[in-house]
Amino acid sequence: IENFHTSGDILFEGDVTGYLYVASMMGYWRSKNNSAYTLVMKDCSNSGNITVNGTLRNRPAIGGIMAYNSGNYASLTNVHNTGNITVHNKLTDVMTSWISIGGIIGYDGQEPPLTNVTNSGNSTVTGNLAGVNEGSNYPLRVGGIVAYPSSYAKIKAGVINTGNITVGKPNVETKVHYLCVGGIFGDIINASTTMTDPIFVGTIRVSNVTNTSIADSYIGGIAGKTIAKITNAQSYCSIIAHNYTNV
């Protein structure tokens, strides 16, 4: 996918009983029959806004460019998002499993790197996101670039986020079990993930949120929670997160 540019807004309103993947360019990517086919995205951009205002139940992923990469070798080079992402889960009961919202990618299991990838769109998340599924608790993951890199994701030079991240708003009920919110990555669970020269300039605000487990919540200018190697990171941000300890 090369020299592909989108500017139209996306609005989703509805009741989802299964999975939901929403993005400007690619909702879901997986190689045919798990073959090592490579998705290469170059010189692409999105300026359209994405709004999800529905009932979400099972692992929804929302991304400015790509929602869900199943881990089959997708690389992004010179890809930029300027559109805003707004997500509100209207469910009154706690039903959602984990939810991942990223300025570029929601869920990313990729191996090849992100290079010269930027986001300046703002992300706003509200509603009932305190996921419980089959007795297990799941976090809300929000990242300025990638919310949930679960495997061997690699970020190289030129990865910059200047978009603001907001979780919760006055007069809007917002529930989470716990949070993993970062200016670049939300939650990194694989030590093989690497990040070099990431930059975040913006604001992270978490307010008016009901947490089941504040002790398990993590908020950071580069990564909310990580076990991976981060090199030469720069963060020039404000974080407003009252009553949170892991900031």
Side-chain angles (χ1 to χ4, degrees):
I1 301 176
E2 191 168 1
N3 292 321
F4 194 76
H5 307 280
T6 57
S7 59
D9 293 341
I10 296 174
L11 170 63
F12 174 85
E13 293 181 311
D15 185 346
V16 179
T17 57
Y19 302 109
L20 176 70
Y21 307 133
V22 181
S24 68
M25 295 194 185
M26 184 163 294
Y28 181 88
W29 159 252
R30 181 169 182 168
S31 295
K32 181 180 178 181
N33 299 325
N34 290 323
S35 301
Y37 298 150
T38 300
L39 170 67
V40 177
M41 187 179 292
K42 293 181 178 180
D43 304 323
C44 295
S45 68
N46 170 61
S47 60
N49 299 320
I50 296 173
T51 301
V52 176
N53 183 24
T55 57
L56 315 176
R57 287 186 171 84
N58 194 3
R59 292 189 295 177
I62 296 97
I65 299 296
M66 177 186 293
Y68 192 106
N69 172 21
S70 67
N72 297 102
Y73 306 101
S75 65
L76 278 66
T77 303
N78 296 328
V79 173
H80 311 284
N81 176 58
T82 60
N84 298 323
I85 298 174
T86 304
V87 178
H88 178 72
N89 188 12
K90 298 168 66 175
L91 277 175
T92 57
D93 296 326
V94 179
M95 296 182 67
T96 303
S97 170
W98 58 256
I99 179 169
S100 298
I101 301 165
I104 298 295
I105 302 175
Y107 171 88
D108 186 15
Q110 74 172 20
E111 183 170 346
L114 306 181
T115 305
N116 294 332
V117 171
T118 67
N119 173 63
S120 61
N122 300 322
S123 296
T124 303
V125 188
T126 57
N128 185 8
L129 306 159
V132 176
N133 185 27
E134 298 179 355
S136 298
N137 296 308
Y138 294 85
L140 165 66
R141 297 178 171 102
V142 185
I145 298 295
V146 181
Y148 184 21
S150 73
S151 187
Y152 303 99
K154 292 178 175 62
I155 278 187
K156 292 193 173 181
V159 173
I160 302 171
N161 175 38
T162 58
N164 299 322
I165 297 173
T166 301
V167 180
K169 294 194 302 184
N171 303 317
V172 178
E173 185 178 42
T174 300
K175 297 179 182 179
V176 299
H177 177 66
Y178 66 97
L179 294 165
C180 293
V181 179
I184 302 295
F185 276 172
D187 184 11
I188 305 172
I189 65 171
N190 193 308
S192 297
T193 298
T194 60
M195 193 188 316
T196 303
D197 300 326
I199 299 173
F200 173 49
V201 182
T203 298
I204 297 174
R205 180 184 295 272
V206 180
S207 61
N208 301 295
V209 176
T210 301
N211 281 74
T212 304
S213 181
I214 286 180
D216 293 323
S217 294
Y218 300 87
I219 304 167
I222 296 297
K225 183 180 180 181
T226 179
I227 59 172
K229 183 177 180 179
I230 299 175
T231 305
N232 203 32
Q234 300 177 67
S235 178
Y236 310 93
C237 72
S238 298
I239 298 178
I240 298 96
H242 299 295
N243 300 322
Y244 286 86
T245 55
N246 301 317
V247 178

